[in-house]
Amino acid sequence: MAVKPNVQPLWIEATFEEEGLDARALVTRTDLKGIITFASKAYRDMTKYSKQELVGAPHSIVRHPFMPEGAFKSMWDTIKQGQHFNALVMNLRKDGKHYWVDVHVDPIDEFGDIVDDPNKIAGYVAIRREPTREEVEEHFKLYAAMRKAELLEKNSLRDWEEDLLNKLKDPNWEKSMIEAIKSK
């Protein structure tokens, strides 16, 4: 299910380099329900949320409305079964800018060890790295088509979903987003 963004997206990308993060991984841990129990300093620096704002919050705090609901359903279906999940994700920062990550999510036990037995899962660990520009462009196009299809299938849209659908229907908007991706 889509969640209303906590902040208004600016549709401006922030990269790891621009944030001075080099190639450091962004790490979070959550409980079984996706409530954040740990957020690395690099993750906090990229998201612009403080430790106090993140720990105890649902991980959807950084969900960008552009991301297809199906991508998150696939993730939850996979990790709940004790399997590794990997995908590119566009996240939304507190300041309204977005960033792309190549995220790897694994189920963990109560000691933080990766497990594959669904009965031993106590939470999840997510490790993110910056993807290549080619991967970002490819996934932007894929997710734009997926998200547009999801929104067109809905019987009624919330205001923010309607705004997003109007952007997704505009070929000039998609073209300008692709140009911005290529320019980074």
Side-chain angles (χ1 to χ4, degrees):
M1 181 173 129
V3 293
K4 182 178 180 184
N6 290 315
V7 296
Q8 179 68 31
L10 298 177
W11 300 100
I12 299 170
E13 184 178 2
T15 65
F16 281 49
E17 182 180 354
E18 290 169 344
E19 292 302 317
L21 294 174
D22 304 321
R24 286 183 276 175
L26 311 180
V27 180
T28 55
R29 286 176 56 167
T30 70
D31 67 11
L32 290 170
K33 294 181 180 179
I35 302 300
I36 299 170
T37 59
F38 170 80
S40 69
K41 180 163 181 348
Y43 184 82
R44 298 189 313 262
D45 288 347
M46 178 56 96
T47 66
K48 302 302 181 198
Y49 284 100
S50 70
K51 182 178 180 179
Q52 293 76 18
E53 291 171 307
L54 290 169
V55 174
H59 215 289
S60 60
I61 192 171
V62 295
R63 184 178 297 175
H64 199 291
F66 175 77
M67 283 299 298
E69 294 174 37
F72 293 103
K73 181 181 182 327
S74 175
M75 179 197 71
W76 280 107
D77 289 349
T78 301
I79 62 177
K80 284 181 177 180
Q81 294 177 23
Q83 299 174 5
H84 172 80
F85 180 83
N86 173 234
L88 258 66
V89 175
M90 180 184 188
N91 282 331
L92 183 61
R93 297 171 10 147
K94 185 178 177 180
D95 64 6
K97 292 181 181 179
H98 65 269
Y99 63 99
W100 286 88
V101 291
D102 177 7
V103 64
H104 294 261
V105 184
D106 285 291
I108 54 174
D109 65 16
E110 60 187 293
F111 306 107
D113 295 323
I114 294 173
V115 295
D116 58 9
D117 181 347
N119 297 315
K120 293 183 179 177
I121 300 172
Y124 305 97
V125 62
I127 301 172
R128 303 158 189 83
R129 296 256 181 220
E130 187 168 28
T132 67
R133 302 317 297 162
E134 293 79 17
E135 291 170 322
V136 170
E137 181 179 351
E138 175 186 334
H139 282 78
F140 177 85
K141 291 175 184 176
L142 171 67
Y143 291 164
M146 289 174 65
R147 192 68 172 119
K148 181 178 177 183
E150 286 176 351
L151 292 170
L152 288 171
E153 286 180 13
K154 288 189 172 192
N155 291 328
S156 64
L157 298 175
R158 299 175 197 121
D159 290 344
W160 60 271
E161 290 175 314
E162 201 168 297
D163 290 343
L164 175 58
L165 181 57
N166 288 334
K167 284 179 177 23
L168 292 168
K169 287 179 175 179
D170 181 355
N172 291 324
W173 178 81
E174 184 170 336
K175 183 180 176 185
S176 70
M177 291 297 294
I178 296 294
E179 288 173 6
I181 289 168
K182 289 180 176 182
S183 73
K184 293 280 183 180

